[in-house]
Amino acid sequence: MPLEPNQQPCAGQRKLLPVERVHSNIPKGGTDTNWTYPSPQMVFNALRRKGKGDDVTEDDMQGFVNAHNSMNEATWQQVAMWERLHTDSPSQATLLKFEGKPHDLSPIAWIRHKLGGPLPFDRHDWTVDRGGKEVRYVIDFYFYEDKAGTPDAFEMTTRPACDSFDACLDRVKMGIYIKFAEWGLPILSHVNSCPPASVADEAF
């Protein structure tokens, strides 16, 4: 069976890349399946088509794709933490769609940069189906050169977009729950564990 067009080697490619795709743990909205990650060949083709990744070679692609997939899995775990504000079973939420917005600074990213912080290298907006209600999440992705090669090299900050009063209230609630947890005070049972620090830092 011939490969899909976006699985074919691109012009100037020096060696073949894997075309196998990996299933994620992120439930796909409107289906009974999970999202499937692109293959190394698909990612390589996309980088070349967009004029990006000039310093990424064929030999780098498997590690690049592994990092990409791991960041998405971690992002979904952060989304699931926010979803626990509304249900005891965040697995009921599904990801309907996502959109890359690398050139659109979120308000928090803009503020962090003005205060001397780094700019995110990417931004995604994820639309989640919460029992029939569409909820948009904003995710900023950061990379720290001084921590390259360590687990702290990447940071994802995830929070619901302030598209509604409920979403803004969720940010306030999460901030309160995180502070309660830091002070050793009891929190609501359905928020049964603390989110990663990057979520807590962006709660307000």
PDB file of all heavy atoms in Angstrom, residues 137-151:
ATOM      1  N   TYR A 137      -8.672  26.021  26.392  1.00  0.00           N
ATOM      2  CA  TYR A 137      -7.501  26.130  27.266  1.00  0.00           C
ATOM      3  C   TYR A 137      -6.361  26.783  26.497  1.00  0.00           C
ATOM      4  O   TYR A 137      -6.196  26.551  25.299  1.00  0.00           O
ATOM      5  CB  TYR A 137      -7.053  24.748  27.752  1.00  0.00           C
ATOM      6  CG  TYR A 137      -7.874  24.194  28.884  1.00  0.00           C
ATOM      7  CD1 TYR A 137      -9.062  23.517  28.634  1.00  0.00           C
ATOM      8  CD2 TYR A 137      -7.467  24.352  30.205  1.00  0.00           C
ATOM      9  CE1 TYR A 137      -9.829  23.002  29.679  1.00  0.00           C
ATOM     10  CE2 TYR A 137      -8.220  23.847  31.257  1.00  0.00           C
ATOM     11  CZ  TYR A 137      -9.398  23.170  30.979  1.00  0.00           C
ATOM     12  OH  TYR A 137     -10.150  22.665  32.021  1.00  0.00           O
ATOM     13  N   VAL A 138      -5.575  27.584  27.202  1.00  0.00           N
ATOM     14  CA  VAL A 138      -4.401  28.227  26.625  1.00  0.00           C
ATOM     15  C   VAL A 138      -3.162  27.579  27.227  1.00  0.00           C
ATOM     16  O   VAL A 138      -3.063  27.442  28.455  1.00  0.00           O
ATOM     17  CB  VAL A 138      -4.392  29.743  26.898  1.00  0.00           C
ATOM     18  CG1 VAL A 138      -3.122  30.383  26.332  1.00  0.00           C
ATOM     19  CG2 VAL A 138      -5.626  30.392  26.304  1.00  0.00           C
ATOM     20  N   ILE A 139      -2.231  27.170  26.375  1.00  0.00           N
ATOM     21  CA  ILE A 139      -0.997  26.530  26.832  1.00  0.00           C
ATOM     22  C   ILE A 139       0.193  27.262  26.239  1.00  0.00           C
ATOM     23  O   ILE A 139       0.295  27.414  25.014  1.00  0.00           O
ATOM     24  CB  ILE A 139      -0.933  25.033  26.421  1.00  0.00           C
ATOM     25  CG1 ILE A 139      -2.169  24.278  26.915  1.00  0.00           C
ATOM     26  CG2 ILE A 139       0.335  24.398  26.962  1.00  0.00           C
ATOM     27  CD1 ILE A 139      -3.216  24.036  25.848  1.00  0.00           C
ATOM     28  N   ASP A 140       1.090  27.736  27.105  1.00  0.00           N
ATOM     29  CA  ASP A 140       2.347  28.336  26.677  1.00  0.00           C
ATOM     30  C   ASP A 140       3.472  27.344  26.934  1.00  0.00           C
ATOM     31  O   ASP A 140       3.535  26.733  28.006  1.00  0.00           O
ATOM     32  CB  ASP A 140       2.626  29.639  27.436  1.00  0.00           C
ATOM     33  CG  ASP A 140       1.660  30.750  27.064  1.00  0.00           C
ATOM     34  OD1 ASP A 140       1.366  30.900  25.861  1.00  0.00           O
ATOM     35  OD2 ASP A 140       1.195  31.469  27.977  1.00  0.00           O
ATOM     36  N   PHE A 141       4.363  27.203  25.958  1.00  0.00           N
ATOM     37  CA  PHE A 141       5.481  26.266  26.064  1.00  0.00           C
ATOM     38  C   PHE A 141       6.791  27.049  26.139  1.00  0.00           C
ATOM     39  O   PHE A 141       7.064  27.897  25.281  1.00  0.00           O
ATOM     40  CB  PHE A 141       5.518  25.336  24.842  1.00  0.00           C
ATOM     41  CG  PHE A 141       4.318  24.449  24.705  1.00  0.00           C
ATOM     42  CD1 PHE A 141       3.198  24.883  23.990  1.00  0.00           C
ATOM     43  CD2 PHE A 141       4.287  23.187  25.270  1.00  0.00           C
ATOM     44  CE1 PHE A 141       2.083  24.065  23.848  1.00  0.00           C
ATOM     45  CE2 PHE A 141       3.181  22.359  25.130  1.00  0.00           C
ATOM     46  CZ  PHE A 141       2.078  22.805  24.427  1.00  0.00           C
ATOM     47  N   TYR A 142       7.588  26.743  27.159  1.00  0.00           N
ATOM     48  CA  TYR A 142       8.865  27.432  27.363  1.00  0.00           C
ATOM     49  C   TYR A 142      10.013  26.425  27.326  1.00  0.00           C
ATOM     50  O   TYR A 142       9.854  25.262  27.726  1.00  0.00           O
ATOM     51  CB  TYR A 142       8.883  28.139  28.722  1.00  0.00           C
ATOM     52  CG  TYR A 142       7.895  29.264  28.864  1.00  0.00           C
ATOM     53  CD1 TYR A 142       6.585  29.017  29.304  1.00  0.00           C
ATOM     54  CD2 TYR A 142       8.249  30.571  28.570  1.00  0.00           C
ATOM     55  CE1 TYR A 142       5.674  30.049  29.432  1.00  0.00           C
ATOM     56  CE2 TYR A 142       7.340  31.616  28.704  1.00  0.00           C
ATOM     57  CZ  TYR A 142       6.057  31.348  29.134  1.00  0.00           C
ATOM     58  OH  TYR A 142       5.145  32.366  29.265  1.00  0.00           O
ATOM     59  N   PHE A 143      11.162  26.905  26.853  1.00  0.00           N
ATOM     60  CA  PHE A 143      12.385  26.100  26.892  1.00  0.00           C
ATOM     61  C   PHE A 143      13.486  26.938  27.516  1.00  0.00           C
ATOM     62  O   PHE A 143      13.676  28.104  27.147  1.00  0.00           O
ATOM     63  CB  PHE A 143      12.808  25.656  25.490  1.00  0.00           C
ATOM     64  CG  PHE A 143      14.096  24.886  25.467  1.00  0.00           C
ATOM     65  CD1 PHE A 143      14.138  23.573  25.917  1.00  0.00           C
ATOM     66  CD2 PHE A 143      15.267  25.475  25.004  1.00  0.00           C
ATOM     67  CE1 PHE A 143      15.327  22.857  25.905  1.00  0.00           C
ATOM     68  CE2 PHE A 143      16.460  24.752  24.992  1.00  0.00           C
ATOM     69  CZ  PHE A 143      16.485  23.455  25.444  1.00  0.00           C
ATOM     70  N   TYR A 144      14.211  26.337  28.474  1.00  0.00           N
ATOM     71  CA  TYR A 144      15.275  27.033  29.183  1.00  0.00           C
ATOM     72  C   TYR A 144      16.623  26.447  28.769  1.00  0.00           C
ATOM     73  O   TYR A 144      16.947  25.307  29.112  1.00  0.00           O
ATOM     74  CB  TYR A 144      15.065  26.918  30.691  1.00  0.00           C
ATOM     75  CG  TYR A 144      13.754  27.518  31.151  1.00  0.00           C
ATOM     76  CD1 TYR A 144      12.635  26.716  31.395  1.00  0.00           C
ATOM     77  CD2 TYR A 144      13.618  28.894  31.302  1.00  0.00           C
ATOM     78  CE1 TYR A 144      11.433  27.274  31.783  1.00  0.00           C
ATOM     79  CE2 TYR A 144      12.415  29.465  31.698  1.00  0.00           C
ATOM     80  CZ  TYR A 144      11.324  28.647  31.935  1.00  0.00           C
ATOM     81  OH  TYR A 144      10.125  29.201  32.329  1.00  0.00           O
ATOM     82  N   GLU A 145      17.391  27.251  28.020  1.00  0.00           N
ATOM     83  CA  GLU A 145      18.674  26.786  27.500  1.00  0.00           C
ATOM     84  C   GLU A 145      19.615  26.337  28.611  1.00  0.00           C
ATOM     85  O   GLU A 145      20.356  25.369  28.466  1.00  0.00           O
ATOM     86  CB  GLU A 145      19.343  27.905  26.691  1.00  0.00           C
ATOM     87  CG  GLU A 145      18.667  28.212  25.361  1.00  0.00           C
ATOM     88  CD  GLU A 145      18.993  27.198  24.280  1.00  0.00           C
ATOM     89  OE1 GLU A 145      19.811  26.292  24.548  1.00  0.00           O
ATOM     90  OE2 GLU A 145      18.430  27.317  23.176  1.00  0.00           O
ATOM     91  N   ASP A 146      19.581  27.063  29.758  1.00  0.00           N
ATOM     92  CA  ASP A 146      20.513  26.744  30.837  1.00  0.00           C
ATOM     93  C   ASP A 146      20.174  25.421  31.527  1.00  0.00           C
ATOM     94  O   ASP A 146      20.979  24.905  32.308  1.00  0.00           O
ATOM     95  CB  ASP A 146      20.542  27.869  31.871  1.00  0.00           C
ATOM     96  CG  ASP A 146      19.175  28.142  32.476  1.00  0.00           C
ATOM     97  OD1 ASP A 146      18.156  27.967  31.777  1.00  0.00           O
ATOM     98  OD2 ASP A 146      19.116  28.525  33.659  1.00  0.00           O
ATOM     99  N   LYS A 147      18.992  24.879  31.231  1.00  0.00           N
ATOM    100  CA  LYS A 147      18.584  23.604  31.821  1.00  0.00           C
ATOM    101  C   LYS A 147      18.475  22.502  30.772  1.00  0.00           C
ATOM    102  O   LYS A 147      17.905  21.443  31.043  1.00  0.00           O
ATOM    103  CB  LYS A 147      17.249  23.767  32.542  1.00  0.00           C
ATOM    104  CG  LYS A 147      17.284  24.767  33.694  1.00  0.00           C
ATOM    105  CD  LYS A 147      15.922  24.916  34.347  1.00  0.00           C
ATOM    106  CE  LYS A 147      15.956  25.930  35.476  1.00  0.00           C
ATOM    107  NZ  LYS A 147      14.616  26.122  36.104  1.00  0.00           N
ATOM    108  N   ALA A 148      19.021  22.760  29.590  1.00  0.00           N
ATOM    109  CA  ALA A 148      18.942  21.776  28.501  1.00  0.00           C
ATOM    110  C   ALA A 148      19.528  20.442  28.942  1.00  0.00           C
ATOM    111  O   ALA A 148      20.563  20.386  29.605  1.00  0.00           O
ATOM    112  CB  ALA A 148      19.687  22.286  27.273  1.00  0.00           C
ATOM    113  N   GLY A 149      18.821  19.372  28.579  1.00  0.00           N
ATOM    114  CA  GLY A 149      19.265  18.030  28.952  1.00  0.00           C
ATOM    115  C   GLY A 149      18.766  17.569  30.300  1.00  0.00           C
ATOM    116  O   GLY A 149      19.068  16.441  30.721  1.00  0.00           O
ATOM    117  N   THR A 150      17.970  18.396  30.989  1.00  0.00           N
ATOM    118  CA  THR A 150      17.399  18.026  32.282  1.00  0.00           C
ATOM    119  C   THR A 150      15.877  18.014  32.179  1.00  0.00           C
ATOM    120  O   THR A 150      15.306  18.603  31.248  1.00  0.00           O
ATOM    121  CB  THR A 150      17.818  19.018  33.380  1.00  0.00           C
ATOM    122  OG1 THR A 150      17.100  20.267  33.194  1.00  0.00           O
ATOM    123  CG2 THR A 150      19.318  19.293  33.323  1.00  0.00           C
ATOM    124  N   PRO A 151      15.185  17.379  33.140  1.00  0.00           N
ATOM    125  CA  PRO A 151      13.714  17.360  33.104  1.00  0.00           C
ATOM    126  C   PRO A 151      13.090  18.743  33.234  1.00  0.00           C
ATOM    127  O   PRO A 151      11.919  18.924  32.891  1.00  0.00           O
ATOM    128  CB  PRO A 151      13.352  16.478  34.310  1.00  0.00           C
ATOM    129  CG  PRO A 151      14.567  15.648  34.560  1.00  0.00           C
ATOM    130  CD  PRO A 151      15.732  16.520  34.205  1.00  0.00           C
TER     131      PRO A 151
END
